[in-house]
Amino acid sequence: MKPLVKVRLGFTLIELLVVIAIIAILIALLVPAVQKVREAASRTQCQNNLKQIGLAFANHHDQFKVYPSGGESWDKDRIVNSGQPAVWDKQTWGWGYQILPYIEQHELWRDPSSAKIAGTAVFTYMCPILRGPITVNYTQVSSSTPPTPLGPRFMGDYVGNGGSWGTASSFTASNAFDGPLVPMYSVSKKMVKLNKIKDGTSNTLLVGEKYVPWDYMTISSCNNDQGYVDGWDNDMICFGRIASGGTVATSTATDPIGTPKQIVKQGGGSCGLLFGSIHPTMNAVFCDGSVHSINFDIQATTWLAILTINGEDQVQDTKSIN
């Protein structure tokens, strides 16, 4: 006797193609949502890093009644006296090294090996979405005294605010010295205390994200070739405008001056001492410890205003600072 119902043993080709098409549509709808969640999580982590950096600056000020300095020069080793690292006024290494004790890295700060310190990953200084923990092999022989240690250097993704304009090549005429970070006191004869921030701590940027070349994984440009311990150098200090030979540059062919620059996959490298970000907005911590997102279309006058401490300008484009 033949069965009354015919049993199907599988899907037809058309049914299979329909299922595959539905899955593809669902994936296409899901991927942007996942990317948004990932970006939001990474931006939150980046902001938390900057919050920790801002607190470290505040704790340093509580202890020494002054902000950490920008150090002296990229080509010098740190200063250690009788086994104790020098602090803000005589330390050649920059703010990234000087605040290590305030981000739970005291043992690293006092380690006897400069090369080990320079090559150790400090995740507080790393933007989680930019490139991951990156070290470069520093091989340039320095004639400075003390010479910079050779070997691996852990890269930093955040830079201190040197003010409205300046350069890493000079401590005198080529710098405005109107930001919260200045070179170490023994070379600049300058220091920054909270009462010197006349614009108000809530209106003054302290540390922000750094603009690096879009192909930062494969090349080393001059603002992306050393590490977080560097002294007054474009790896760890940025400005609103670039000084060249003691004068303020107004524009260049590749790097627009006056506002932060977003990292996009076009163009070439940069040695422009510029703030920037791979995020849709740039994250920064201000001198009062608050963290803000800054739009890339911020007015140049407002951008320069939040970089200075002298009280001679006003922040007007507040809608670009969230």
Side-chain angles (χ1 to χ4, degrees), residues 146-167:
T148 184
L150 304 181
R153 291 286 189 97
F154 178 71
M155 304 302 301
D157 296 330
Y158 305 116
V159 283
N161 171 20
S164 59
W165 57 270
T167 179

Side-chain angles (χ1 to χ4, degrees), residues 9-153:
L9 299 178
F11 294 102
T12 66
L13 178 60
I14 293 177
E15 290 172 332
L16 186 61
L17 291 175
V18 169
V19 171
I20 292 173
I22 292 172
I23 293 174
I25 292 171
L26 292 175
I27 291 175
L29 294 173
L30 183 62
V31 167
V34 171
Q35 290 176 336
K36 287 182 179 178
V37 171
R38 181 170 176 264
E39 163 59 26
S42 121
R43 186 169 64 250
T44 299
Q45 181 60 54
C46 191
Q47 292 172 340
N48 182 63
N49 289 344
L50 287 163
K51 184 69 174 180
Q52 298 306 311
I53 291 171
L55 288 172
F57 269 77
N59 289 332
H60 184 284
H61 192 282
D62 286 345
Q63 181 174 353
F64 296 105
K65 311 306 178 187
V66 66
Y67 270 158
S69 74
E72 181 179 359
S73 178
W74 61 270
D75 60 350
K76 291 182 180 294
D77 193 4
R78 63 176 176 157
I79 298 297
V80 179
N81 298 314
S82 301
Q84 183 72 9
V87 293
W88 65 275
D89 56 339
K90 296 182 177 65
Q91 183 53 258
T92 52
W93 276 9
W95 64 267
Y97 171 71
Q98 294 174 36
I99 67 170
L100 283 178
Y102 309 101
I103 57 171
E104 300 182 350
Q105 295 287 348
H106 188 273
E107 291 304 312
L108 181 62
W109 173 76
R110 66 194 300 268
D111 194 281
S113 171
S114 292
K116 177 183 176 181
I117 297 170
T120 297
V122 180
F123 292 98
T124 303
Y125 297 152
M126 185 190 78
C127 173
I129 201 173
L130 179 59
R131 52 187 170 180
I134 293 292
T135 58
V136 296
N137 188 28
Y138 191 73
T139 59
Q140 181 174 342
V141 178
S142 170
S143 60
S144 299
T145 302
T148 184
L150 304 181
R153 291 286 189 97

Side-chain angles (χ1 to χ4, degrees), residues 158-240:
Y158 305 116
V159 283
N161 171 20
S164 59
W165 57 270
T167 179
S169 62
S170 173
F171 302 130
T172 54
S174 295
N175 288 270
F177 291 135
D178 57 359
L181 278 163
V182 294
M184 68 180 188
Y185 184 78
S186 56
V187 296
S188 69
K189 304 305 178 187
K190 295 181 181 295
M191 66 180 76
V192 176
K193 301 181 178 183
L194 287 178
N195 60 10
K196 288 190 175 183
I197 304 176
K198 298 178 181 179
D199 283 335
T201 56
S202 62
N203 291 325
T204 306
L205 189 148
L206 179 60
V207 174
E209 295 181 88
K210 177 175 70 173
Y211 174 79
V212 293
W214 69 266
D215 45 356
Y216 43 77
M217 295 292 288
T218 59
I219 68 169
S220 290
S221 68
C222 55
N223 73 339
N224 192 44
D225 62 349
Q226 288 151 25
Y228 80 94
V229 299
D230 283 342
W232 196 257
D233 181 74
N234 45 6
D235 282 81
M236 292 299 288
I237 298 290
C238 283
F239 307 91

